[in-house]
Coordinates of all heavy atoms in Angstrom, one line a residue:
M164 N -5.9 17.2 11.1 CA -5.8 15.8 11.9 C -6.4 14.8 11.0 O -7.6 15.0 10.6 CB -6.5 16.1 13.3 CG -6.7 14.8 14.1 SD -5.4 14.7 15.3 CE -5.8 13.2 16.0
D165 N -5.8 13.7 10.9 CA -6.4 12.6 10.1 C -7.2 11.6 10.9 O -6.8 11.5 12.1 CB -5.2 11.7 9.5 CG -4.3 12.4 8.5 OD1 -4.7 13.6 8.1 OD2 -3.3 11.9 8.1
T166 N -8.2 11.1 10.4 CA -9.0 10.0 11.0 C -8.9 8.6 10.4 O -9.0 8.6 9.1 CB -10.5 10.5 10.9 OG1 -10.7 11.7 11.5 CG2 -11.4 9.5 11.7
Q167 N -8.5 7.8 11.0 CA -8.3 6.4 10.5 C -9.7 5.7 10.2 O -10.5 5.7 11.2 CB -7.5 5.6 11.4 CG -7.2 4.2 10.8 CD -6.2 3.5 11.7 OE1 -5.2 4.0 12.2 NE2 -6.4 2.2 11.8
L168 N -10.0 5.2 9.0 CA -11.2 4.7 8.7 C -11.1 3.1 8.6 O -12.1 2.4 9.1 CB -11.7 5.1 7.4 CG -11.9 6.7 7.2 CD1 -12.3 6.9 5.8 CD2 -13.0 7.1 8.2
Q169 N -9.9 2.6 8.3 CA -9.7 1.2 8.3 C -8.2 0.9 8.2 O -7.4 1.8 7.6 CB -10.4 0.5 7.1 CG -10.2 -1.0 7.1 CD -10.9 -1.6 5.9 OE1 -11.2 -1.1 5.0 NE2 -11.4 -2.9 6.2
S170 N -7.7 -0.2 8.7 CA -6.2 -0.4 8.7 C -6.0 -2.1 8.5 O -6.9 -2.7 9.0 CB -5.6 0.0 9.9 OG -4.2 -0.2 9.9
H171 N -5.1 -2.3 7.8 CA -4.8 -3.8 7.6 C -3.3 -3.9 7.4 O -2.6 -3.1 6.7 CB -5.5 -4.4 6.2 CG -5.2 -5.8 6.0 ND1 -5.7 -6.8 6.8 CD2 -4.4 -6.4 5.2 CE1 -5.4 -7.9 6.4 NE2 -4.5 -7.6 5.3
S172 N -2.7 -4.8 8.1 CA -1.2 -5.1 8.1 C -0.9 -6.4 7.6 O -1.5 -7.4 7.8 CB -0.5 -4.8 9.5 OG -0.8 -3.5 9.8
I173 N 0.3 -6.5 7.0 CA 0.9 -7.7 6.6 C 2.4 -7.7 6.8 O 3.0 -6.7 7.0 CB 0.6 -8.0 5.0 CG1 1.3 -7.0 4.1 CG2 -0.9 -8.1 4.7 CD1 1.1 -7.3 2.7
R174 N 3.0 -8.9 6.9 CA 4.5 -9.1 7.0 C 4.8 -9.8 5.8 O 4.3 -10.9 5.5 CB 4.7 -9.8 8.2 CG 6.2 -9.9 8.4 CD 6.7 -10.3 9.8 NE 6.6 -9.2 10.9 CZ 7.3 -8.2 11.0 NH1 8.3 -8.0 10.1 NH2 7.1 -7.3 12.0
V175 N 5.9 -9.3 5.1 CA 6.5 -9.9 4.0 C 7.9 -9.9 4.2 O 8.5 -8.8 4.3 CB 6.0 -9.2 2.7 CG1 6.8 -9.8 1.5 CG2 4.6 -9.1 2.5
E176 N 8.5 -11.1 4.4 CA 9.9 -11.3 4.8 C 10.3 -10.3 6.0 O 9.6 -10.5 7.0 CB 10.7 -11.0 3.5 CG 10.5 -12.0 2.4 CD 11.3 -11.8 1.1 OE1 12.2 -10.9 1.1 OE2 11.1 -12.4 0.2
R177 N 11.2 -9.5 5.8 CA 11.6 -8.6 7.0 C 10.6 -7.3 7.1 O 10.9 -6.5 8.0 CB 13.0 -8.1 6.8 CG 14.1 -9.2 6.8 CD 15.4 -8.6 6.6 NE 15.6 -7.6 5.7 CZ 16.1 -6.4 5.9 NH1 16.4 -6.0 7.0 NH2 16.2 -5.5 5.0
K178 N 9.8 -7.0 6.2 CA 9.0 -5.9 6.0 C 7.6 -6.0 6.8 O 6.9 -7.0 6.4 CB 8.9 -5.5 4.6 CG 10.2 -5.2 3.9 CD 10.0 -4.9 2.5 CE 11.3 -4.8 1.8 NZ 11.4 -3.6 1.0
H179 N 7.3 -5.0 7.4 CA 6.0 -4.8 7.9 C 5.3 -3.7 7.1 O 5.7 -2.7 7.1 CB 6.0 -4.5 9.4 CG 4.7 -4.4 10.0 ND1 4.3 -3.3 10.9 CD2 3.6 -5.3 10.2 CE1 3.1 -3.5 11.3 NE2 2.7 -4.8 10.8
I180 N 4.2 -4.1 6.5 CA 3.4 -3.1 5.5 C 2.0 -2.9 6.1 O 1.3 -3.9 6.3 CB 3.4 -3.7 4.1 CG1 4.8 -4.0 3.6 CG2 2.6 -2.8 3.2 CD1 4.9 -4.7 2.3
T181 N 1.7 -1.6 6.3 CA 0.4 -1.3 6.7 C -0.4 -0.4 5.7 O 0.3 0.6 5.1 CB 0.6 -0.4 8.0 OG1 1.3 -1.2 9.0 CG2 -0.8 -0.1 8.6
F182 N -1.6 -0.9 5.5 CA -2.5 -0.1 4.6 C -3.5 0.6 5.5 O -4.4 0.1 6.1 CB -3.1 -1.0 3.7 CG -2.3 -1.9 2.8 CD1 -1.7 -3.0 3.3 CD2 -1.9 -1.5 1.5 CE1 -0.8 -3.9 2.5 CE2 -1.1 -2.3 0.7 CZ -0.5 -3.3 1.2
D183 N -3.4 1.9 5.5 CA -4.3 2.7 6.3 C -5.2 3.6 5.5 O -4.7 4.4 4.7 CB -3.6 3.7 7.2 CG -3.1 3.1 8.5 OD1 -3.6 2.0 8.9 OD2 -2.0 3.6 9.0
L184 N -6.6 3.4 5.6 CA -7.5 4.2 4.9 C -7.8 5.3 5.8 O -8.2 5.1 7.0 CB -8.8 3.4 4.5 CG -9.9 4.2 3.8 CD1 -9.4 4.7 2.5 CD2 -11.2 3.3 3.6
R185 N -7.5 6.5 5.4 CA -7.6 7.7 6.3 C -8.4 8.8 5.6 O -8.7 8.7 4.4 CB -6.3 8.2 6.7 CG -5.4 7.1 7.4 CD -4.2 7.7 7.7 NE -4.1 8.4 9.0 CZ -4.2 7.9 10.2 NH1 -4.2 6.6 10.4 NH2 -4.2 8.8 11.2
E186 N -8.8 9.7 6.4 CA -9.7 10.9 6.0 C -9.1 12.1 6.7 O -8.9 12.1 7.9 CB -11.1 10.7 6.3 CG -12.0 11.8 5.9 CD -13.5 11.3 6.1 OE1 -13.9 10.9 7.3 OE2 -14.3 11.4 5.2
N187 N -9.1 13.4 5.9 CA -8.8 14.5 6.7 C -9.6 15.7 5.9 O -10.5 15.2 5.1 CB -7.3 14.9 6.6 CG -6.8 15.1 5.2 OD1 -7.6 15.4 4.3 ND2 -5.5 14.9 5.1
P188 N -9.6 16.9 6.4 CA -10.5 17.9 5.7 C -10.3 17.9 4.2 O -11.3 18.4 3.4 CB -10.1 19.2 6.4 CG -9.6 18.8 7.6 CD -8.9 17.4 7.5
R189 N -9.2 17.6 3.6 CA -9.0 17.6 2.1 C -9.5 16.4 1.5 O -9.6 16.4 0.2 CB -7.6 17.8 1.9 CG -7.0 19.1 2.4 CD -5.6 19.4 2.1 NE -4.8 18.4 1.6 CZ -3.4 18.4 1.5 NH1 -2.8 19.4 2.0 NH2 -2.8 17.5 0.9
G190 N -9.9 15.2 2.2 CA -10.4 14.1 1.5 C -10.0 12.8 2.1 O -9.3 12.8 3.1
R191 N -10.3 11.8 1.4 CA -9.9 10.3 1.8 C -8.7 9.9 1.0 O -8.5 10.3 -0.2 CB -11.0 9.4 1.7 CG -12.1 9.7 2.5 CD -13.2 8.8 2.5 NE -14.4 9.0 3.4 CZ -15.6 8.8 3.2 NH1 -15.9 8.2 2.1 NH2 -16.5 9.1 4.1
F192 N -7.8 9.0 1.6 CA -6.7 8.5 1.0 C -6.2 7.3 1.5 O -6.6 6.9 2.7 CB -5.5 9.7 1.1 CG -5.3 10.1 2.5 CD1 -4.2 9.4 3.2 CD2 -6.0 11.1 3.1 CE1 -3.9 9.8 4.4 CE2 -5.6 11.6 4.3 CZ -4.6 10.8 5.0
L193 N -5.4 6.6 0.9 CA -4.8 5.4 1.4 C -3.3 5.6 1.7 O -2.6 6.2 0.7 CB -4.9 4.2 0.2 CG -4.2 2.9 0.7 CD1 -4.9 2.2 1.8 CD2 -4.2 1.9 -0.5
R194 N -2.8 5.4 2.8 CA -1.5 5.5 3.1 C -0.9 4.2 3.3 O -1.4 3.3 4.1 CB -1.4 6.3 4.5 CG 0.2 6.4 4.9 CD 0.4 7.1 6.2 NE 0.0 8.5 6.1 CZ -0.5 9.3 7.0 NH1 -0.7 8.9 8.1 NH2 -0.8 10.6 6.7
I195 N 0.1 3.9 2.6 CA 0.9 2.6 2.6 C 2.1 2.8 3.3 O 3.0 3.6 2.8 CB 1.0 2.0 1.2 CG1 -0.3 1.8 0.4 CG2 1.8 0.7 1.3 CD1 -0.2 1.5 -1.0
I196 N 2.4 2.2 4.4 CA 3.6 2.4 5.1 C 4.4 1.1 5.3 O 3.9 0.0 5.5 CB 3.2 2.8 6.6 CG1 2.3 4.1 6.7 CG2 4.6 3.0 7.5 CD1 1.8 4.3 8.0
E197 N 5.6 1.2 5.0 CA 6.7 0.1 4.9 C 7.6 0.4 6.2 O 8.2 1.4 6.3 CB 7.4 0.0 3.6 CG 8.5 -0.9 3.8 CD 9.6 -0.8 2.6 OE1 10.0 0.5 2.4 OE2 10.0 -1.8 2.1
E198 N 7.6 -0.6 7.0 CA 8.6 -0.5 8.1 C 9.6 -1.6 8.0 O 9.2 -2.9 7.9 CB 7.9 -0.6 9.4 CG 6.9 0.6 9.7 CD 6.1 0.4 11.1 OE1 6.8 0.3 11.9 OE2 4.9 0.5 11.0
V199 N 10.8 -1.3 8.1 CA 11.9 -2.3 7.9 C 13.1 -1.8 8.7 O 13.6 -0.6 8.5 CB 12.2 -2.8 6.5 CG1 12.8 -1.7 5.7 CG2 13.2 -3.9 6.6
G200 N 13.6 -2.6 9.6 CA 14.9 -2.1 10.3 C 14.7 -0.8 11.1 O 15.7 0.0 11.1
G201 N 13.6 -0.6 11.6 CA 13.3 0.8 12.3 C 13.2 1.9 11.3 O 12.9 3.1 11.9
R202 N 13.2 1.9 10.1 CA 12.9 2.9 9.0 C 11.5 2.8 8.5 O 11.0 1.7 8.3 CB 13.9 2.8 8.0 CG 14.1 3.9 7.1 CD 15.2 3.8 6.1 NE 14.5 4.1 4.8 CZ 14.9 3.4 3.8 NH1 15.9 2.6 3.7 NH2 14.2 3.7 2.6
R203 N 10.9 3.8 8.3 CA 9.5 4.0 7.9 C 9.6 4.9 6.5 O 10.1 6.0 6.5 CB 8.6 4.6 8.8 CG 8.4 3.7 10.0 CD 7.4 4.4 11.0 NE 6.1 4.7 10.4 CZ 5.0 4.9 11.0 NH1 5.0 4.9 12.3 NH2 3.9 5.2 10.4
D204 N 8.9 4.2 5.5 CA 8.5 5.1 4.3 C 7.1 4.9 4.0 O 6.5 3.9 4.3 CB 9.4 4.5 3.2 CG 10.8 4.5 3.3 OD1 11.3 5.7 3.4 OD2 11.6 3.6 3.3
A205 N 6.6 6.0 3.4 CA 5.1 6.0 3.1 C 4.8 6.4 1.8 O 5.5 7.3 1.2 CB 4.3 6.8 4.1
V206 N 3.7 5.9 1.2 CA 3.2 6.4 0.0 C 1.7 6.7 0.2 O 1.0 5.9 0.8 CB 3.3 5.2 -1.2 CG1 2.5 5.6 -2.4 CG2 4.8 4.9 -1.4
I207 N 1.3 7.8 -0.4 CA -0.2 8.3 -0.2 C -0.8 8.1 -1.5 O -0.3 8.7 -2.6 CB -0.2 9.8 0.2 CG1 0.6 9.9 1.6 CG2 -1.6 10.2 0.4 CD1 0.2 9.2 2.7
V208 N -1.9 7.5 -1.6 CA -2.7 7.3 -2.9 C -4.1 8.1 -2.6 O -4.9 7.5 -1.7 CB -2.9 5.8 -3.2 CG1 -3.6 5.8 -4.6 CG2 -1.5 5.2 -3.4
P209 N -4.4 9.1 -3.3 CA -5.7 9.6 -3.1 C -6.8 8.7 -3.6 O -6.6 7.9 -4.4 CB -5.7 10.9 -4.0 CG -4.3 11.1 -4.3 CD -3.6 9.8 -4.3
I210 N -8.0 8.7 -2.9 CA -9.0 7.8 -3.3 C -9.4 7.8 -4.7 O -9.7 6.8 -5.4 CB -10.3 8.0 -2.4 CG1 -10.0 7.6 -1.0 CG2 -11.6 7.4 -2.9 CD1 -9.8 6.1 -0.8
S211 N -9.3 9.1 -5.4 CA -9.6 9.2 -6.8 C -8.7 8.3 -7.6 O -9.0 8.1 -8.8 CB -9.4 10.7 -7.1 OG -8.2 11.2 -7.0
G212 N -7.5 8.0 -7.2 CA -6.6 7.2 -7.9 C -6.5 5.7 -7.4 O -5.7 4.8 -8.0
L213 N -7.4 5.2 -6.5 CA -7.2 3.9 -6.0 C -7.4 2.8 -7.1 O -6.8 1.8 -7.1 CB -8.1 3.8 -4.8 CG -7.8 2.8 -3.7 CD1 -6.4 3.0 -3.2 CD2 -8.7 2.9 -2.5
E214 N -8.5 3.0 -7.9 CA -8.9 1.9 -8.8 C -7.7 1.9 -9.8 O -7.3 0.6 -10.3 CB -10.2 2.1 -9.4 CG -11.3 1.8 -8.5 CD -12.7 2.0 -9.0 OE1 -12.8 2.2 -10.3 OE2 -13.6 1.8 -8.3
E215 N -7.1 2.9 -10.2 CA -6.0 3.0 -11.2 C -4.7 2.3 -10.6 O -4.1 1.5 -11.3 CB -5.7 4.4 -11.6 CG -4.6 4.5 -12.7 CD -4.5 5.9 -13.3 OE1 -5.2 6.9 -12.8 OE2 -3.7 6.1 -14.1
F216 N -4.5 2.6 -9.2 CA -3.4 2.0 -8.6 C -3.7 0.5 -8.5 O -2.7 -0.3 -8.9 CB -3.4 2.6 -7.1 CG -2.2 2.1 -6.2 CD1 -1.1 2.6 -6.2 CD2 -2.5 1.0 -5.4 CE1 -0.1 2.2 -5.5 CE2 -1.5 0.5 -4.8 CZ -0.3 1.0 -4.6
R217 N -4.8 0.0 -8.2 CA -5.2 -1.4 -8.2 C -4.9 -2.0 -9.5 O -4.3 -3.2 -9.7 CB -6.6 -1.7 -7.7 CG -7.0 -3.1 -7.7 CD -8.4 -3.4 -7.9 NE -8.9 -2.8 -9.1 CZ -10.2 -2.3 -9.3 NH1 -11.0 -2.3 -8.4 NH2 -10.6 -1.8 -10.5
D218 N -5.4 -1.4 -10.6 CA -5.2 -1.9 -12.0 C -3.7 -2.1 -12.4 O -3.4 -3.0 -13.0 CB -5.9 -1.0 -13.1 CG -7.4 -1.0 -12.8 OD1 -8.0 -1.9 -12.1 OD2 -8.2 0.0 -13.4
A219 N -2.9 -1.2 -12.0 CA -1.5 -1.2 -12.2 C -1.0 -2.3 -11.6 O -0.1 -3.1 -12.0 CB -0.9 0.1 -12.0
L220 N -1.3 -2.5 -10.2 CA -0.8 -3.6 -9.5 C -1.1 -4.9 -9.9 O -0.3 -5.9 -10.0 CB -1.2 -3.4 -8.0 CG -0.8 -4.4 -7.0 CD1 0.8 -4.4 -6.9 CD2 -1.3 -4.1 -5.6
E221 N -2.4 -5.0 -10.5 CA -2.8 -6.3 -11.0 C -2.0 -6.7 -12.4 O -1.7 -7.9 -12.6 CB -4.2 -6.4 -11.3 CG -5.2 -6.4 -10.2 CD -6.7 -6.3 -10.4 OE1 -7.0 -5.8 -11.6 OE2 -7.5 -6.5 -9.5
K222 N -1.7 -5.7 -13.1 CA -0.9 -5.8 -14.3 C 0.6 -6.4 -13.8 O 1.1 -7.3 -14.6 CB -0.8 -4.6 -15.1 CG -2.0 -4.2 -15.9 CD -1.9 -2.9 -16.6 CE -3.3 -2.5 -17.3 NZ -3.2 -1.3 -18.0
V223 N 1.1 -5.7 -12.8 CA 2.4 -6.3 -12.4 C 2.3 -7.6 -11.9 O 3.3 -8.5 -12.3 CB 3.0 -5.3 -11.3 CG1 4.2 -5.8 -10.7 CG2 3.3 -3.8 -11.9
I224 N 1.4 -8.0 -11.2 CA 1.2 -9.3 -10.7 C 1.0 -10.4 -11.9 O 1.6 -11.4 -11.8 CB 0.0 -9.4 -9.7 CG1 0.3 -8.6 -8.4 CG2 -0.4 -10.9 -9.4 CD1 -0.9 -8.4 -7.5
A225 N 0.2 -10.0 -12.8 CA 0.1 -10.9 -14.0 C 1.3 -11.1 -14.6 O 1.7 -12.2 -15.1 CB -1.1 -10.2 -14.9
H226 N 2.2 -10.0 -14.8 CA 3.5 -10.2 -15.4 C 4.4 -11.0 -14.7 O 5.1 -11.9 -15.3 CB 4.0 -8.7 -15.7 CG 5.4 -8.8 -16.5 ND1 5.4 -9.2 -17.8 CD2 6.7 -8.7 -16.0 CE1 6.8 -9.2 -18.0 NE2 7.5 -8.9 -17.0
V227 N 4.4 -10.9 -13.4 CA 5.3 -11.6 -12.5 C 4.9 -13.2 -12.7 O 5.9 -14.0 -12.7 CB 5.1 -11.3 -11.1 CG1 5.8 -12.3 -10.1 CG2 5.8 -9.9 -10.8
K228 N 3.7 -13.4 -12.9 CA 3.3 -14.9 -13.1 C 3.9 -15.5 -14.3 O 3.8 -16.7 -14.4 CB 1.8 -15.0 -13.0 CG 1.3 -14.7 -11.6 CD -0.3 -14.9 -11.5 CE -0.8 -14.6 -10.2 NZ -2.3 -14.8 -10.1
T229 N 4.2 -14.6 -15.3 CA 4.7 -15.1 -16.6 C 6.3 -15.4 -16.5 O 6.8 -16.0 -17.4 CB 4.5 -14.2 -17.7 OG1 5.2 -13.0 -17.5 CG2 2.9 -13.9 -17.8
L230 N 6.9 -14.8 -15.5 CA 8.4 -14.9 -15.4 C 8.8 -16.3 -14.9 O 8.1 -16.9 -14.1 CB 8.9 -13.9 -14.4 CG 8.5 -12.3 -14.8 CD1 9.1 -11.5 -13.6 CD2 9.3 -12.0 -16.1
P231 N 10.0 -16.8 -15.5 CA 10.4 -18.1 -14.9 C 10.8 -17.9 -13.4 O 11.3 -16.9 -13.1 CB 11.6 -18.3 -15.9 CG 12.0 -17.2 -16.5 CD 10.7 -16.2 -16.4
D232 N 10.8 -19.1 -12.8 CA 11.3 -19.1 -11.4 C 12.8 -18.7 -11.4 O 13.6 -19.1 -12.3 CB 11.1 -20.4 -10.7 CG 9.7 -20.7 -10.5 OD1 8.9 -19.8 -10.3 OD2 9.3 -21.9 -10.3
K233 N 13.2 -17.9 -10.4 CA 14.6 -17.6 -10.2 C 15.3 -18.6 -9.4 O 14.8 -19.0 -8.4 CB 14.8 -16.2 -9.6 CG 16.1 -15.6 -9.7 CD 16.1 -14.2 -9.2 CE 17.5 -13.6 -9.3 NZ 17.5 -12.2 -9.0
P234 N 16.4 -19.1 -10.0 CA 17.2 -20.1 -9.2 C 17.7 -19.7 -7.9 O 17.8 -18.7 -7.5 CB 18.4 -20.5 -10.1 CG 18.4 -19.5 -11.2 CD 17.1 -18.7 -11.1

């Protein structure tokens, strides 16, 4: 059984994205859930990889800022 430690939700266009920090007997993890059109998909990131996940996301964001606007 998982225990929820913290949760934060955002809406981006048609998508509802939830970030759940959870814990179970095997450890802590971040579950990212995308809900769109009644369908749910999830990604699990172990806490041990959270900073690496953030660093990769920051690199993608920095690259997006260098791209020209799409017409």
Side-chain angles (χ1 to χ4, degrees):
M164 176 102 182
D165 294 350
T166 302
Q167 184 173 319
L168 303 173
Q169 185 179 25
S170 184
H171 182 73
S172 295
I173 62 173
R174 180 164 290 284
V175 180
E176 298 178 5
R177 302 180 313 121
K178 299 176 184 232
H179 182 231
I180 301 169
T181 303
F182 300 87
D183 281 335
L184 180 61
R185 301 185 76 83
E186 181 177 53
N187 65 23
R189 294 183 352 195
R191 292 183 178 151
F192 56 94
L193 177 67
R194 178 182 290 154
I195 304 168
I196 302 167
E197 173 198 44
E198 296 179 55
V199 61
R202 193 174 122 213
R203 292 178 59 158
D204 293 304
V206 173
I207 306 296
V208 181
I210 288 300
S211 62
L213 205 53
E214 289 183 6
E215 188 175 358
F216 182 86
R217 180 205 56 212
D218 294 346
L220 184 57
E221 286 176 348
K222 287 177 184 177
V223 170
I224 292 169
H226 181 72
V227 167
K228 290 179 180 181
T229 69
L230 298 175
D232 290 338
K233 193 171 181 177

